[in-house]
């Protein structure tokens, strides 16, 4: 690894950034004053992105906590370890701050990065020794003291009852912290703590919730501040050096860049209905159906569906013809050209700031809140059970597979439900999981092309 400063200087700077102590888990309080070559700047970030993307995939596939703990450990060893422990710590801290710069720039990026980093921190904390965990509690300056012996004896029976209710031994731990209940919402929601007079009694084995809450708060504030600095000075000052790297790295938020699939072909207006039947995900099929039915979509639907078609290979001229053909049946061609054509050209980077907008990811679509009369969003999240079953039946999904999909929906694993739908309708496994509508389209086209090639080769013989 080519770093300008010595290993000893790096280790000292890393410790100052929150990587000191007996444990190996930094708190990322402040960026270390290091001089890092651009190639390491990017490579470190890519390795950490592989870890965060692996965590995202694990969560979307509904892995249990014990499975996630094993997954995080394996991902970290594969992508972030180094034979020199000091180098591992340096890589950890540098890569975090590089990605903080990359993912500070929009609310969507901040939300994803904050969620994945918090999850990573949670499982890494659980793998730390008890002594290291105590040191991290001190480092976060949590204002909680362990119950005294007399305080513990007063609530011991209640704590035993809670322990039994969650399947633990009635012989409860002796170290507990009394904290405001709002500090541990996850423990309260899962009924894993005793509550009394606005306080939750948190066992030492549960303090990860306290630490993670503080960690998430710190990182969330830091991302907002970083975004201000990026917008005010860094973006322009580094436009020829760091800015291109940062923008390239942010595309990795969705895995491959599905805004313009490299293996896609140009599609025309006459292709859309047939492609919808064979290769559109449920969210896009639904919006096409509603567009054909109403000859109109509200702004959210036009953005979600229009950018999807753009990413699938629909060129600007065809996009204008497609939307004009539908909307003119309701609002007329003149009104379409006056009120709607501009926004379509804008999405293709031909108006306004000339920004070439990219299609929405599953995360963005799932987090949307469609209003009355809207048809965008994620069907797995926003449809009622009866409507979702009917829509899946229309796609040919039924029986055990349908029930499995509905079970994932009930447990809020919407992307996994979409992945199971893809597998059921295409007859192949999708190990990477679905995380973008254009990925669904691209993978579907690959499967269909492969099947057509097989049929053609069999016919030739």
């Amino acid at each position: 690894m080519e770093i300008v400063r010595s290993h000893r200087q790096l280790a000292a700077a890393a410790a100052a950034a929150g990587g000191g102590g007996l444990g190996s888990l930094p708190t990322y309080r402040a960026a270390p004053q290091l001089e890092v070559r651009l190639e390491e700047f990017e490579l470190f970030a890519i390795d950490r992105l592989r870890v965060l993307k692996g965590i995202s995939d694990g969560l979307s596939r509904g892995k249990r906590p014990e499975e996630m703990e094993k997954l995080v450990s394996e991902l970290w060893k594969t992508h972030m370890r180094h034979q020199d422990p000091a180098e591992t710590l340096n890589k950890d801290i540098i890569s975090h701050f590089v990605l903080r710069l990359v993912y500070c720039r929009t609310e969507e990026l901040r939300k994803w990065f904050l969620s994945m980093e918090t999850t990573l921190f949670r499982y890494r904390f659980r793998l730390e020794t008890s002594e290291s965990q105590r040191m991290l509690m001190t480092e976060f300056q949590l204002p909680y003291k362990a119950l005294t012996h007399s305080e513990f004896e007063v609530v011991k029976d209640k704590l035993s009852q809670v322990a039994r209710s969650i399947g633990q031994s009635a012989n409860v731990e002796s170290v507990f912290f009394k904290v405001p209940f709002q500090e541990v919402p996850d423990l309260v929601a899962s009924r894993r703590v005793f509550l009394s007079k606005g306080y939750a009694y948190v066992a030492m084995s549960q303090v990860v919730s306290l630490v993670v809450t503080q960690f998430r708060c710190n990182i969330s504030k830091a991302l907002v501040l970083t975004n201000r600095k990026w917008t005010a000075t860094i973006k322009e000052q580094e436009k020829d050096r760091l800015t291109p790297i940062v923008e390239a790295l942010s595309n990795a938020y969705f895995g491959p860049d599905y805004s313009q699939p490299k293996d896609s072909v140009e599609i025309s207006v006459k292709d859309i209905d047939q492609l919808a039947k064979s290769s559109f995900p449920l969210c896009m099929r639904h919006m096409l159906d509603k567009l054909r039915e109403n000859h109109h979509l509200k702004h959210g639907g036009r953005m979600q569906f229009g950018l999807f078609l753009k990413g699938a290979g629909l060129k600007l001229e065809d996009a204008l013809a497609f939307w004009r053909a539908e909307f003119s049946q309701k609002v007329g061609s003149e009104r379409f050209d006056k009120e709607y054509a501009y926004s379509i050209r804008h999405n293709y980077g031909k108006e306004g700031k000339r920004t070439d907008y990219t299609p929405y990811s599953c995360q963005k679509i799932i987090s949307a809140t469609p209003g009355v009369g809207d048809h965008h969003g994620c069907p797995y999240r926003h449809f009622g059970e009866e409507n979702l079953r009917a829509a899946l039946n229309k796609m040919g999904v039924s029986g055990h597979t349908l029930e499995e999909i509905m079970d994932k929906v009930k447990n809020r694993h919407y992307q996994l439900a979409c992945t199971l739908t893809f597998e059921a309708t295409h007859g192949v496994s999708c190990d990477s999981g679905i995380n973008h509508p254009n990925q669904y389209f691209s993978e579907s086209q690959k499967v269909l092309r492969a099947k057509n090639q097989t049929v053609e080769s069999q016919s030739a013989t």
Side-chain angles (χ1 to χ4, degrees), residues 392-442:
L392 291 170
N393 282 149
K394 188 177 178 181
M395 292 179 70
V397 181
S398 60
H400 174 72
T401 302
L402 175 59
E403 297 307 318
E404 190 176 358
I405 291 172
M406 297 306 298
D407 181 64
K408 299 303 180 187
V409 171
K410 289 176 183 177
N411 288 291
R412 301 181 181 179
H413 300 311
Y414 308 116
Q415 287 173 246
L416 183 53
C418 188
T419 301
L420 292 176
T421 302
F422 179 93
E423 294 176 342
T425 54
H426 290 79
V428 298
S429 176
C430 183
D431 295 333
S432 62
I434 298 298
N435 54 54
H436 200 292
N438 287 88
Q439 174 205 6
Y440 188 110
F441 176 79
S442 180

Side-chain angles (χ1 to χ4, degrees), residues 300-440:
R302 296 198 302 272
M303 289 294 292
Q304 182 175 316
F305 189 47
L307 290 174
F308 167 79
L309 291 176
K310 174 189 173 185
L314 189 68
K315 300 304 179 184
L316 174 58
E317 294 75 14
D318 284 330
L320 286 166
F322 170 73
W323 290 102
R324 180 182 287 109
E326 289 298 328
F327 274 48
S328 62
Q329 297 181 55
K330 186 169 185 177
V331 304
S333 297
E334 183 177 346
R335 184 178 169 191
F336 173 83
D337 290 336
K338 183 178 180 180
E339 297 182 16
Y340 298 99
Y342 177 89
S343 63
I344 296 170
R345 293 194 300 271
H346 190 270
N347 284 348
Y348 279 78
K350 302 302 181 182
E351 299 285 0
K353 295 181 179 179
R354 310 285 174 172
T355 300
D356 192 14
Y357 290 94
T358 57
Y360 291 174
S361 70
C362 288
Q363 289 284 353
K364 185 177 181 67
I365 293 171
I366 290 170
S367 63
T369 307
V372 177
D374 285 329
H375 301 294
H376 62 285
C378 174
Y380 299 98
R381 179 186 177 190
H382 300 117
F383 276 19
E385 181 176 346
E386 185 177 344
N387 288 339
L388 180 56
R389 285 181 178 274
L392 291 170
N393 282 149
K394 188 177 178 181
M395 292 179 70
V397 181
S398 60
H400 174 72
T401 302
L402 175 59
E403 297 307 318
E404 190 176 358
I405 291 172
M406 297 306 298
D407 181 64
K408 299 303 180 187
V409 171
K410 289 176 183 177
N411 288 291
R412 301 181 181 179
H413 300 311
Y414 308 116
Q415 287 173 246
L416 183 53
C418 188
T419 301
L420 292 176
T421 302
F422 179 93
E423 294 176 342
T425 54
H426 290 79
V428 298
S429 176
C430 183
D431 295 333
S432 62
I434 298 298
N435 54 54
H436 200 292
N438 287 88
Q439 174 205 6
Y440 188 110

Side-chain angles (χ1 to χ4, degrees), residues 97-235:
F97 281 98
V98 173
L99 291 187
R100 186 185 290 188
L101 183 64
V102 172
Y103 288 94
C104 74
R105 297 173 304 128
T106 69
E107 182 179 355
E108 184 185 6
L109 293 176
R110 290 194 295 272
K111 183 178 179 180
W112 185 85
F113 179 71
L114 180 61
S115 177
M116 294 307 106
E117 280 287 339
T118 301
T119 302
L120 173 61
F121 186 87
R122 175 185 295 276
Y123 287 104
R124 290 183 68 194
F125 182 88
R126 289 171 59 167
L127 294 169
E128 292 287 311
T129 64
S130 296
E131 186 176 0
S132 179
Q133 289 179 352
R134 287 178 180 272
M135 292 185 66
L136 283 164
M137 288 183 68
T138 302
E139 202 163 335
F140 277 112
Q141 298 179 333
L142 297 177
Y144 313 122
K145 294 183 179 180
L147 295 181
T148 64
H149 178 72
S150 59
E151 290 173 324
F152 174 75
E153 288 298 322
V154 171
V155 295
K156 183 177 180 180
D157 290 342
K158 296 293 185 181
L159 299 176
S160 296
Q161 291 177 22
V162 173
R164 286 194 296 269
S165 71
I166 59 176
Q168 295 180 352
S169 170
N171 296 320
V172 298
E173 301 175 44
S174 59
V175 179
F176 276 81
F177 300 87
K178 182 179 176 182
V179 305
F181 76 93
Q182 65 268 23
E183 298 292 330
V184 284
D186 56 330
L187 296 179
V188 174
S190 57
R191 300 183 178 182
R192 301 181 66 85
V193 287
F194 169 59
L195 295 178
S196 178
K197 298 179 180 179
Y199 287 92
Y201 289 77
V202 181
M204 182 62 201
S205 60
Q206 298 172 318
V207 296
V208 61
S209 294
L210 291 171
V211 176
V212 165
T213 298
Q214 187 63 48
F215 175 82
R216 184 183 183 90
C217 181
N218 291 351
I219 300 300
S220 180
K221 292 178 181 177
L223 284 169
V224 173
L225 293 174
T226 304
N227 177 53
R228 291 175 185 171
K229 292 180 181 178
W230 167 264
T231 304
T233 59
I234 302 174
K235 182 178 181 179

Side-chain angles (χ1 to χ4, degrees), residues 3 48 65 86 94 224 262 325 407 412 431 450 459:
I3 299 287
R48 193 180 192 93
I94 292 168
V224 173
K262 295 178 181 178
D407 181 64
R412 301 181 181 179
D431 295 333
S459 299

Side-chain angles (χ1 to χ4, degrees), residues 2-4 10 34-38 40-41 44 94 241:
E2 294 183 339
I3 299 287
V4 174
L10 284 168
L34 304 177
E35 297 177 17
V36 185
R37 297 190 186 279
L38 285 180
E40 276 81 24
F41 181 94
F44 286 2
I94 292 168
R241 197 170 68 110

